[in-house]
Short mmCIF file of all heavy atoms in Angstrom, two decimals:
data_model
loop_
_atom_site.label_atom_id
_atom_site.label_comp_id
_atom_site.label_asym_id
_atom_site.label_seq_id
_atom_site.Cartn_x
_atom_site.Cartn_y
_atom_site.Cartn_z
N GLU A 626 5.91 70.49 -0.93
CA GLU A 626 5.78 71.07 -2.27
C GLU A 626 4.57 71.97 -2.30
O GLU A 626 3.60 71.76 -1.57
CB GLU A 626 5.61 69.95 -3.30
CG GLU A 626 6.91 69.32 -3.72
CD GLU A 626 6.68 68.18 -4.68
OE1 GLU A 626 6.35 68.44 -5.84
OE2 GLU A 626 6.82 67.02 -4.24
N LEU A 627 4.63 72.98 -3.14
CA LEU A 627 3.53 73.93 -3.25
C LEU A 627 2.66 73.55 -4.43
O LEU A 627 3.15 73.08 -5.45
CB LEU A 627 4.11 75.34 -3.48
CG LEU A 627 4.80 75.98 -2.27
CD1 LEU A 627 5.68 77.11 -2.74
CD2 LEU A 627 3.79 76.48 -1.25
N SER A 628 1.36 73.76 -4.27
CA SER A 628 0.50 73.56 -5.43
C SER A 628 0.16 74.90 -6.08
O SER A 628 -0.13 74.95 -7.27
CB SER A 628 -0.78 72.82 -5.03
OG SER A 628 -1.53 73.59 -4.14
N GLN A 629 0.18 75.94 -5.29
CA GLN A 629 -0.06 77.29 -5.84
C GLN A 629 0.88 78.27 -5.15
O GLN A 629 1.29 78.05 -4.01
CB GLN A 629 -1.49 77.76 -5.54
CG GLN A 629 -2.61 76.97 -6.17
CD GLN A 629 -3.95 77.41 -5.60
OE1 GLN A 629 -4.15 78.60 -5.34
NE2 GLN A 629 -4.85 76.46 -5.43
N GLY A 630 1.15 79.35 -5.81
CA GLY A 630 1.86 80.47 -5.19
C GLY A 630 3.29 80.17 -4.82
O GLY A 630 3.95 79.35 -5.47
N ARG A 631 3.77 80.78 -3.76
CA ARG A 631 5.16 80.62 -3.36
C ARG A 631 5.24 80.43 -1.85
O ARG A 631 4.23 80.55 -1.15
CB ARG A 631 5.96 81.87 -3.77
CG ARG A 631 5.40 83.15 -3.15
CD ARG A 631 6.24 84.36 -3.43
NE ARG A 631 5.64 85.53 -2.82
CZ ARG A 631 5.83 85.88 -1.54
NH1 ARG A 631 6.59 85.14 -0.76
NH2 ARG A 631 5.24 86.96 -1.04
N PHE A 632 6.45 80.11 -1.34
CA PHE A 632 6.61 79.92 0.09
C PHE A 632 7.11 81.22 0.73
O PHE A 632 7.31 82.22 0.04
CB PHE A 632 7.59 78.76 0.36
CG PHE A 632 7.44 78.16 1.73
CD1 PHE A 632 6.29 77.45 2.08
CD2 PHE A 632 8.43 78.34 2.69
CE1 PHE A 632 6.16 76.92 3.35
CE2 PHE A 632 8.29 77.81 3.95
CZ PHE A 632 7.16 77.11 4.29
N LEU A 633 7.30 81.17 2.04
CA LEU A 633 7.77 82.36 2.77
C LEU A 633 9.19 82.73 2.31
O LEU A 633 9.96 81.86 1.90
CB LEU A 633 7.82 82.04 4.27
CG LEU A 633 6.55 81.49 4.90
CD1 LEU A 633 6.84 81.01 6.31
CD2 LEU A 633 5.45 82.54 4.90
N THR A 634 9.51 83.99 2.42
CA THR A 634 10.88 84.42 2.14
C THR A 634 11.52 84.91 3.43
O THR A 634 10.83 85.15 4.42
CB THR A 634 10.90 85.56 1.11
OG1 THR A 634 10.16 86.66 1.68
CG2 THR A 634 10.26 85.14 -0.20
N ASP A 635 12.84 85.03 3.40
CA ASP A 635 13.56 85.52 4.58
C ASP A 635 13.13 86.96 4.92
O ASP A 635 13.03 87.34 6.08
CB ASP A 635 15.07 85.48 4.33
CG ASP A 635 15.59 84.06 4.37
OD1 ASP A 635 14.92 83.22 5.00
OD2 ASP A 635 16.63 83.79 3.74
N MET A 636 12.88 87.71 3.83
CA MET A 636 12.48 89.10 4.01
C MET A 636 11.20 89.19 4.83
O MET A 636 11.08 90.02 5.73
CB MET A 636 12.28 89.74 2.63
CG MET A 636 12.09 91.23 2.64
SD MET A 636 13.56 92.04 3.25
CE MET A 636 14.39 92.35 1.71
N GLU A 637 10.25 88.31 4.49
CA GLU A 637 8.97 88.35 5.19
C GLU A 637 9.15 88.02 6.67
O GLU A 637 8.43 88.53 7.53
CB GLU A 637 7.98 87.40 4.53
CG GLU A 637 7.39 87.98 3.26
CD GLU A 637 6.81 86.94 2.32
OE1 GLU A 637 7.13 85.73 2.48
OE2 GLU A 637 6.05 87.33 1.44
N THR A 638 10.11 87.13 6.98
CA THR A 638 10.39 86.80 8.36
C THR A 638 10.95 88.03 9.08
O THR A 638 10.56 88.36 10.19
CB THR A 638 11.41 85.64 8.44
OG1 THR A 638 10.97 84.61 7.58
CG2 THR A 638 11.52 85.10 9.84
N GLU A 639 11.87 88.70 8.37
CA GLU A 639 12.47 89.91 8.95
C GLU A 639 11.42 90.97 9.24
O GLU A 639 11.40 91.58 10.31
CB GLU A 639 13.50 90.49 7.95
CG GLU A 639 14.79 89.71 7.85
CD GLU A 639 15.61 89.83 9.10
OE1 GLU A 639 15.79 90.96 9.58
OE2 GLU A 639 16.05 88.77 9.61
N LEU A 640 10.54 91.17 8.25
CA LEU A 640 9.60 92.28 8.32
C LEU A 640 8.31 91.95 9.06
O LEU A 640 7.42 92.77 9.14
CB LEU A 640 9.26 92.75 6.90
CG LEU A 640 10.41 93.32 6.08
CD1 LEU A 640 9.96 93.62 4.66
CD2 LEU A 640 10.96 94.57 6.73
N ARG A 641 8.23 90.74 9.57
CA ARG A 641 7.00 90.30 10.23
C ARG A 641 5.78 90.51 9.35
O ARG A 641 4.75 91.02 9.77
CB ARG A 641 6.80 91.04 11.56
CG ARG A 641 7.85 90.68 12.56
CD ARG A 641 7.67 91.38 13.85
NE ARG A 641 8.79 91.06 14.70
CZ ARG A 641 9.17 91.79 15.71
NH1 ARG A 641 8.52 92.88 16.02
NH2 ARG A 641 10.20 91.43 16.44
N SER A 642 5.93 90.16 8.08
CA SER A 642 4.83 90.36 7.13
C SER A 642 3.65 89.50 7.54
O SER A 642 3.81 88.38 8.05
CB SER A 642 5.29 89.96 5.73
OG SER A 642 6.41 90.68 5.38
N LYS A 643 2.48 90.00 7.23
CA LYS A 643 1.27 89.23 7.54
C LYS A 643 0.89 88.42 6.31
O LYS A 643 -0.07 88.71 5.60
CB LYS A 643 0.15 90.18 7.96
CG LYS A 643 0.47 90.85 9.29
CD LYS A 643 -0.69 91.60 9.87
CE LYS A 643 -0.39 92.07 11.28
NZ LYS A 643 0.89 92.80 11.40
N VAL A 644 1.71 87.40 6.05
CA VAL A 644 1.45 86.50 4.92
C VAL A 644 1.39 85.07 5.46
O VAL A 644 2.03 84.76 6.46
CB VAL A 644 2.55 86.59 3.84
CG1 VAL A 644 2.48 87.93 3.12
CG2 VAL A 644 3.90 86.36 4.44
N VAL A 645 0.61 84.25 4.79
CA VAL A 645 0.51 82.84 5.22
C VAL A 645 0.54 81.92 4.01
O VAL A 645 0.15 82.29 2.91
CB VAL A 645 -0.79 82.56 6.01
CG1 VAL A 645 -0.73 83.15 7.40
CG2 VAL A 645 -2.01 83.04 5.25
N VAL A 646 1.02 80.67 4.29
CA VAL A 646 0.91 79.59 3.31
C VAL A 646 -0.06 78.58 3.93
O VAL A 646 0.06 78.24 5.10
CB VAL A 646 2.28 78.93 3.06
CG1 VAL A 646 2.13 77.72 2.15
CG2 VAL A 646 3.23 79.95 2.45
N LEU A 647 -1.07 78.16 3.15
CA LEU A 647 -2.09 77.27 3.70
C LEU A 647 -1.79 75.81 3.35
O LEU A 647 -1.30 75.51 2.25
CB LEU A 647 -3.47 77.64 3.15
CG LEU A 647 -3.95 79.06 3.39
CD1 LEU A 647 -5.35 79.24 2.78
CD2 LEU A 647 -3.98 79.39 4.87
N GLY A 648 -2.13 74.93 4.29
CA GLY A 648 -2.13 73.51 3.97
C GLY A 648 -3.30 73.22 3.04
O GLY A 648 -4.26 74.00 2.99
N SER A 649 -3.26 72.12 2.29
CA SER A 649 -4.27 71.90 1.27
C SER A 649 -5.68 71.77 1.87
O SER A 649 -6.65 72.27 1.30
CB SER A 649 -3.93 70.66 0.46
OG SER A 649 -3.94 69.53 1.27
N ASP A 650 -5.80 71.13 3.04
CA ASP A 650 -7.11 70.98 3.67
C ASP A 650 -7.65 72.33 4.11
O ASP A 650 -8.84 72.64 3.93
CB ASP A 650 -7.04 70.06 4.89
CG ASP A 650 -7.11 68.60 4.48
OD1 ASP A 650 -7.27 68.36 3.25
OD2 ASP A 650 -7.00 67.72 5.35
N THR A 651 -6.78 73.11 4.72
CA THR A 651 -7.19 74.43 5.20
C THR A 651 -7.66 75.30 4.04
O THR A 651 -8.67 75.98 4.12
CB THR A 651 -6.01 75.11 5.92
OG1 THR A 651 -5.41 74.17 6.79
CG2 THR A 651 -6.49 76.31 6.72
N ALA A 652 -6.91 75.24 2.93
CA ALA A 652 -7.29 76.00 1.75
C ALA A 652 -8.65 75.57 1.25
O ALA A 652 -9.49 76.39 0.90
CB ALA A 652 -6.24 75.83 0.67
N ASP A 653 -8.88 74.25 1.24
CA ASP A 653 -10.17 73.72 0.79
C ASP A 653 -11.29 74.20 1.68
O ASP A 653 -12.39 74.51 1.21
CB ASP A 653 -10.14 72.19 0.78
CG ASP A 653 -9.41 71.66 -0.43
OD1 ASP A 653 -9.15 72.47 -1.34
OD2 ASP A 653 -9.08 70.47 -0.45
N THR A 654 -11.04 74.23 3.00
CA THR A 654 -12.09 74.61 3.93
C THR A 654 -12.43 76.09 3.78
O THR A 654 -13.60 76.47 3.73
CB THR A 654 -11.64 74.34 5.38
OG1 THR A 654 -11.01 73.07 5.42
CG2 THR A 654 -12.80 74.37 6.34
N LEU A 655 -11.41 76.89 3.71
CA LEU A 655 -11.63 78.34 3.72
C LEU A 655 -12.03 78.89 2.36
O LEU A 655 -12.86 79.78 2.26
CB LEU A 655 -10.38 79.05 4.24
CG LEU A 655 -10.03 78.82 5.72
CD1 LEU A 655 -8.71 79.48 6.06
CD2 LEU A 655 -11.13 79.32 6.63
N PHE A 656 -11.41 78.36 1.33
CA PHE A 656 -11.71 78.86 -0.02
C PHE A 656 -12.16 77.69 -0.87
O PHE A 656 -11.42 77.20 -1.71
CB PHE A 656 -10.46 79.48 -0.65
CG PHE A 656 -9.84 80.57 0.17
CD1 PHE A 656 -8.79 80.27 1.03
CD2 PHE A 656 -10.32 81.86 0.12
CE1 PHE A 656 -8.24 81.26 1.81
CE2 PHE A 656 -9.76 82.84 0.91
CZ PHE A 656 -8.71 82.56 1.75
N GLU A 657 -13.38 77.28 -0.65
CA GLU A 657 -13.85 76.03 -1.23
C GLU A 657 -13.45 75.83 -2.70
O GLU A 657 -12.66 74.96 -3.01
CB GLU A 657 -15.36 75.94 -1.11
CG GLU A 657 -15.77 75.07 0.07
CD GLU A 657 -17.26 75.07 0.24
OE1 GLU A 657 -17.91 74.22 -0.41
OE2 GLU A 657 -17.75 75.92 0.99
N ASN A 658 -13.99 76.65 -3.55
CA ASN A 658 -13.69 76.46 -4.97
C ASN A 658 -12.91 77.64 -5.56
O ASN A 658 -12.69 77.68 -6.76
CB ASN A 658 -14.98 76.24 -5.77
CG ASN A 658 -15.66 74.96 -5.33
OD1 ASN A 658 -15.00 73.95 -5.14
ND2 ASN A 658 -16.97 75.02 -5.14
N GLN A 659 -12.52 78.53 -4.68
CA GLN A 659 -11.83 79.71 -5.20
C GLN A 659 -10.32 79.51 -5.14
O GLN A 659 -9.82 78.60 -4.48
CB GLN A 659 -12.18 80.93 -4.34
CG GLN A 659 -13.66 81.10 -4.10
CD GLN A 659 -13.92 82.03 -2.93
OE1 GLN A 659 -13.22 83.01 -2.75
NE2 GLN A 659 -14.94 81.71 -2.14
N LYS A 660 -9.65 80.36 -5.84
CA LYS A 660 -8.21 80.37 -5.80
C LYS A 660 -7.81 81.06 -4.50
O LYS A 660 -8.28 82.16 -4.20
CB LYS A 660 -7.67 81.13 -7.01
CG LYS A 660 -6.23 80.87 -7.32
CD LYS A 660 -5.92 81.39 -8.74
CE LYS A 660 -4.50 81.09 -9.14
NZ LYS A 660 -3.51 81.91 -8.50
N ALA A 661 -6.99 80.41 -3.72
CA ALA A 661 -6.69 80.95 -2.39
C ALA A 661 -5.61 82.04 -2.43
O ALA A 661 -5.62 82.97 -1.64
CB ALA A 661 -6.25 79.83 -1.47
N VAL A 662 -4.72 81.89 -3.40
CA VAL A 662 -3.59 82.82 -3.44
C VAL A 662 -4.08 84.25 -3.67
O VAL A 662 -5.00 84.48 -4.48
CB VAL A 662 -2.60 82.40 -4.55
CG1 VAL A 662 -1.48 83.43 -4.70
CG2 VAL A 662 -2.03 81.04 -4.22
N ASP A 663 -3.50 85.18 -2.94
CA ASP A 663 -3.81 86.61 -2.98
C ASP A 663 -5.14 86.97 -2.31
O ASP A 663 -5.54 88.11 -2.34
CB ASP A 663 -3.80 87.16 -4.43
CG ASP A 663 -2.37 87.26 -4.94
OD1 ASP A 663 -1.47 87.41 -4.09
OD2 ASP A 663 -2.17 87.15 -6.16
N GLN A 664 -5.78 85.98 -1.73
CA GLN A 664 -6.95 86.28 -0.92
C GLN A 664 -6.48 86.58 0.49
O GLN A 664 -5.33 86.36 0.84
CB GLN A 664 -7.90 85.08 -0.89
CG GLN A 664 -8.31 84.59 -2.26
CD GLN A 664 -9.75 84.92 -2.57
OE1 GLN A 664 -10.25 85.95 -2.09
NE2 GLN A 664 -10.38 84.08 -3.36
N ASN A 665 -7.43 87.03 1.31
CA ASN A 665 -7.08 87.32 2.70
C ASN A 665 -7.80 86.39 3.66
O ASN A 665 -8.93 85.99 3.41
CB ASN A 665 -7.43 88.77 3.03
CG ASN A 665 -6.46 89.72 2.37
OD1 ASN A 665 -5.25 89.49 2.36
ND2 ASN A 665 -7.00 90.78 1.77
N VAL A 666 -7.12 86.04 4.73
CA VAL A 666 -7.77 85.31 5.83
C VAL A 666 -7.64 86.15 7.10
O VAL A 666 -6.64 86.85 7.28
CB VAL A 666 -7.16 83.92 6.11
CG1 VAL A 666 -7.77 82.87 5.25
CG2 VAL A 666 -5.66 83.94 5.97
N LEU A 667 -8.66 86.02 7.94
CA LEU A 667 -8.60 86.70 9.23
C LEU A 667 -8.15 85.72 10.29
O LEU A 667 -8.74 84.66 10.46
CB LEU A 667 -9.99 87.24 9.58
CG LEU A 667 -10.45 88.51 8.85
CD1 LEU A 667 -11.89 88.83 9.24
CD2 LEU A 667 -9.52 89.69 9.17
N ILE A 668 -7.04 86.05 10.95
CA ILE A 668 -6.58 85.21 12.05
C ILE A 668 -6.50 86.10 13.28
O ILE A 668 -5.75 87.08 13.30
CB ILE A 668 -5.20 84.59 11.74
CG1 ILE A 668 -5.31 83.66 10.51
CG2 ILE A 668 -4.69 83.81 12.94
CD1 ILE A 668 -3.99 83.21 9.97
N GLY A 669 -7.35 85.76 14.24
CA GLY A 669 -7.41 86.57 15.45
C GLY A 669 -7.76 88.03 15.14
O GLY A 669 -7.23 88.95 15.76
N GLY A 670 -8.61 88.19 14.14
CA GLY A 670 -9.07 89.53 13.82
C GLY A 670 -8.13 90.33 12.94
O GLY A 670 -8.43 91.44 12.53
N VAL A 671 -6.96 89.73 12.62
CA VAL A 671 -5.99 90.45 11.79
C VAL A 671 -6.01 89.82 10.40
O VAL A 671 -6.08 88.60 10.27
CB VAL A 671 -4.58 90.37 12.41
CG1 VAL A 671 -3.59 91.16 11.57
CG2 VAL A 671 -4.61 90.85 13.83
N SER A 672 -5.92 90.62 9.41
CA SER A 672 -5.98 90.11 8.05
C SER A 672 -4.59 89.68 7.57
O SER A 672 -3.60 90.39 7.72
CB SER A 672 -6.53 91.20 7.13
OG SER A 672 -6.53 90.73 5.81
N TYR A 673 -4.52 88.48 6.96
CA TYR A 673 -3.27 87.95 6.42
C TYR A 673 -3.48 87.65 4.96
O TYR A 673 -4.54 87.18 4.56
CB TYR A 673 -2.88 86.63 7.13
CG TYR A 673 -2.38 86.82 8.55
CD1 TYR A 673 -3.29 87.07 9.59
CD2 TYR A 673 -1.03 86.72 8.85
CE1 TYR A 673 -2.84 87.23 10.88
CE2 TYR A 673 -0.58 86.87 10.13
CZ TYR A 673 -1.49 87.12 11.16
OH TYR A 673 -1.05 87.28 12.43
N ARG A 674 -2.45 87.85 4.18
CA ARG A 674 -2.55 87.55 2.76
C ARG A 674 -2.02 86.14 2.50
O ARG A 674 -0.96 85.77 3.02
CB ARG A 674 -1.75 88.58 1.95
CG ARG A 674 -2.02 88.52 0.44
CD ARG A 674 -1.53 89.79 -0.24
NE ARG A 674 -0.10 90.00 -0.01
CZ ARG A 674 0.85 89.47 -0.79
NH1 ARG A 674 0.52 88.73 -1.81
NH2 ARG A 674 2.11 89.69 -0.53
N VAL A 675 -2.78 85.39 1.69
CA VAL A 675 -2.34 84.04 1.34
C VAL A 675 -1.36 84.14 0.19
O VAL A 675 -1.68 84.73 -0.84
CB VAL A 675 -3.53 83.15 0.94
CG1 VAL A 675 -3.06 81.75 0.55
CG2 VAL A 675 -4.54 83.07 2.07
N ILE A 676 -0.15 83.59 0.37
CA ILE A 676 0.83 83.68 -0.71
C ILE A 676 1.05 82.32 -1.38
O ILE A 676 1.61 82.24 -2.47
CB ILE A 676 2.18 84.23 -0.23
CG1 ILE A 676 2.68 83.41 0.96
CG2 ILE A 676 2.07 85.69 0.14
CD1 ILE A 676 4.15 83.61 1.26
N GLY A 677 0.58 81.24 -0.74
CA GLY A 677 0.79 79.93 -1.36
C GLY A 677 -0.07 78.86 -0.71
O GLY A 677 -0.61 79.05 0.37
N VAL A 678 -0.23 77.77 -1.41
CA VAL A 678 -0.95 76.60 -0.88
C VAL A 678 -0.06 75.37 -1.07
O VAL A 678 0.53 75.19 -2.15
CB VAL A 678 -2.30 76.41 -1.60
CG1 VAL A 678 -2.99 75.14 -1.11
CG2 VAL A 678 -3.20 77.61 -1.40
N LEU A 679 0.01 74.57 -0.01
CA LEU A 679 0.86 73.36 -0.08
C LEU A 679 0.13 72.22 -0.77
O LEU A 679 -1.10 72.14 -0.74
CB LEU A 679 1.25 72.91 1.33
CG LEU A 679 2.17 73.83 2.13
CD1 LEU A 679 2.29 73.30 3.55
CD2 LEU A 679 3.55 73.88 1.47
N LYS A 680 0.91 71.34 -1.34
CA LYS A 680 0.33 70.09 -1.85
C LYS A 680 -0.02 69.18 -0.68
O LYS A 680 0.63 69.26 0.38
CB LYS A 680 1.34 69.37 -2.74
CG LYS A 680 1.23 69.75 -4.20
CD LYS A 680 2.06 68.82 -5.04
CE LYS A 680 2.07 69.28 -6.48
NZ LYS A 680 3.18 68.71 -7.22
N SER A 681 -1.00 68.33 -0.89
CA SER A 681 -1.41 67.43 0.19
C SER A 681 -0.27 66.46 0.52
O SER A 681 0.40 65.93 -0.36
CB SER A 681 -2.64 66.63 -0.25
OG SER A 681 -2.92 65.66 0.71
N VAL A 682 -0.03 66.25 1.82
CA VAL A 682 0.99 65.28 2.23
C VAL A 682 0.37 64.09 2.95
O VAL A 682 1.05 63.14 3.28
CB VAL A 682 2.05 65.92 3.15
CG1 VAL A 682 2.88 66.92 2.38
CG2 VAL A 682 1.41 66.58 4.36
N GLY A 683 -0.93 64.17 3.18
CA GLY A 683 -1.61 63.05 3.82
C GLY A 683 -1.49 63.09 5.33
O GLY A 683 -0.80 63.94 5.89
N THR A 684 -2.16 62.13 5.91
CA THR A 684 -2.17 62.06 7.37
C THR A 684 -1.10 61.09 7.81
O THR A 684 -0.98 60.00 7.24
CB THR A 684 -3.54 61.54 7.85
OG1 THR A 684 -4.54 62.28 7.18
CG2 THR A 684 -3.69 61.70 9.35
N SER A 685 -0.30 61.49 8.75
CA SER A 685 0.61 60.50 9.30
C SER A 685 0.59 60.55 10.80
O SER A 685 0.63 61.63 11.40
CB SER A 685 2.02 60.72 8.76
OG SER A 685 2.58 61.84 9.34
N MET A 686 0.53 59.39 11.39
CA MET A 686 0.56 59.24 12.84
C MET A 686 -0.46 60.15 13.53
O MET A 686 -0.17 60.80 14.52
CB MET A 686 1.96 59.51 13.37
CG MET A 686 2.95 58.49 12.88
SD MET A 686 4.61 59.12 12.94
CE MET A 686 4.70 60.00 11.41
N GLY A 687 -1.64 60.19 12.96
CA GLY A 687 -2.74 60.85 13.65
C GLY A 687 -2.80 62.35 13.51
O GLY A 687 -3.76 62.98 13.91
N SER A 688 -1.77 62.98 12.91
CA SER A 688 -1.88 64.43 12.74
C SER A 688 -1.85 64.75 11.26
O SER A 688 -1.02 64.23 10.52
CB SER A 688 -0.74 65.14 13.46
OG SER A 688 0.47 64.89 12.79
N SER A 689 -2.78 65.60 10.87
CA SER A 689 -2.85 65.90 9.45
C SER A 689 -1.81 66.95 9.09
O SER A 689 -1.68 67.97 9.75
CB SER A 689 -4.24 66.40 9.10
OG SER A 689 -4.21 66.94 7.80
N GLY A 690 -1.05 66.69 8.07
CA GLY A 690 -0.08 67.66 7.60
C GLY A 690 -0.71 68.69 6.68
O GLY A 690 -0.05 69.62 6.23
N ASP A 691 -2.00 68.47 6.39
CA ASP A 691 -2.66 69.36 5.45
C ASP A 691 -3.51 70.42 6.14
O ASP A 691 -4.01 71.33 5.51
CB ASP A 691 -3.56 68.55 4.51
CG ASP A 691 -2.74 67.57 3.71
OD1 ASP A 691 -1.57 67.88 3.45
OD2 ASP A 691 -3.28 66.51 3.34
N ASP A 692 -3.68 70.22 7.45
CA ASP A 692 -4.59 71.10 8.19
C ASP A 692 -3.76 72.15 8.94
O ASP A 692 -3.82 72.23 10.16
CB ASP A 692 -5.40 70.24 9.16
CG ASP A 692 -6.80 70.78 9.34
OD1 ASP A 692 -7.14 71.75 8.63
OD2 ASP A 692 -7.54 70.24 10.17
N VAL A 693 -2.99 72.93 8.21
CA VAL A 693 -2.08 73.88 8.86
C VAL A 693 -2.12 75.25 8.17
O VAL A 693 -2.60 75.39 7.04
CB VAL A 693 -0.61 73.40 8.82
CG1 VAL A 693 -0.40 72.22 9.71
CG2 VAL A 693 -0.17 73.11 7.39
N ILE A 694 -1.64 76.21 8.92
CA ILE A 694 -1.35 77.53 8.33
C ILE A 694 0.10 77.81 8.66
O ILE A 694 0.52 77.69 9.82
CB ILE A 694 -2.26 78.61 8.94
CG1 ILE A 694 -3.69 78.42 8.41
CG2 ILE A 694 -1.74 80.00 8.61
CD1 ILE A 694 -4.66 79.46 8.92
N ILE A 695 0.88 78.11 7.66
CA ILE A 695 2.29 78.40 7.90
C ILE A 695 2.50 79.91 7.73
O ILE A 695 2.07 80.50 6.72
CB ILE A 695 3.19 77.61 6.93
CG1 ILE A 695 2.99 76.11 7.17
CG2 ILE A 695 4.66 78.00 7.15
CD1 ILE A 695 3.63 75.24 6.13
N ALA A 696 3.14 80.48 8.75
CA ALA A 696 3.37 81.93 8.72
C ALA A 696 4.83 82.19 9.06
O ALA A 696 5.50 81.29 9.59
CB ALA A 696 2.45 82.61 9.72
N PRO A 697 5.36 83.35 8.79
CA PRO A 697 6.71 83.66 9.23
C PRO A 697 6.81 83.53 10.74
O PRO A 697 5.85 83.88 11.45
CB PRO A 697 6.92 85.11 8.79
CG PRO A 697 5.94 85.31 7.70
CD PRO A 697 4.78 84.44 8.00
N ILE A 698 7.94 83.04 11.23
CA ILE A 698 8.06 82.74 12.66
C ILE A 698 7.82 83.99 13.52
O ILE A 698 7.19 83.93 14.57
CB ILE A 698 9.43 82.08 12.97
CG1 ILE A 698 9.49 81.62 14.43
CG2 ILE A 698 10.62 83.01 12.64
CD1 ILE A 698 10.58 80.62 14.72
#
Side-chain angles (χ1 to χ4, degrees):
Chain A
E626 278 177 74
L627 289 161
S628 64
Q629 296 171 37
R631 58 174 180 84
F632 201 68
L633 307 170
T634 61
D635 286 337
M636 189 64 93
E637 282 160 343
T638 311
E639 286 291 312
L640 296 175
R641 294 180 185 158
S642 304
K643 293 191 172 51
V644 291
V645 287
V646 174
L647 302 180
S649 63
D650 277 358
T651 314
D653 282 347
T654 317
L655 293 175
F656 305 95
E657 261 176 88
N658 296 317
Q659 311 162 38
K660 198 165 182 286
V662 174
D663 287 333
Q664 305 252 31
N665 287 317
V666 273
L667 284 175
I668 297 169
V671 182
S672 177
Y673 288 77
R674 191 163 58 87
V675 179
I676 53 164
V678 176
L679 293 172
K680 269 191 186 161
S681 172
V682 292
T684 312
S685 72
M686 295 158 276
S688 70
S689 169
D691 298 331
D692 214 5
V693 290
I694 288 181
I695 298 170
I698 187 163

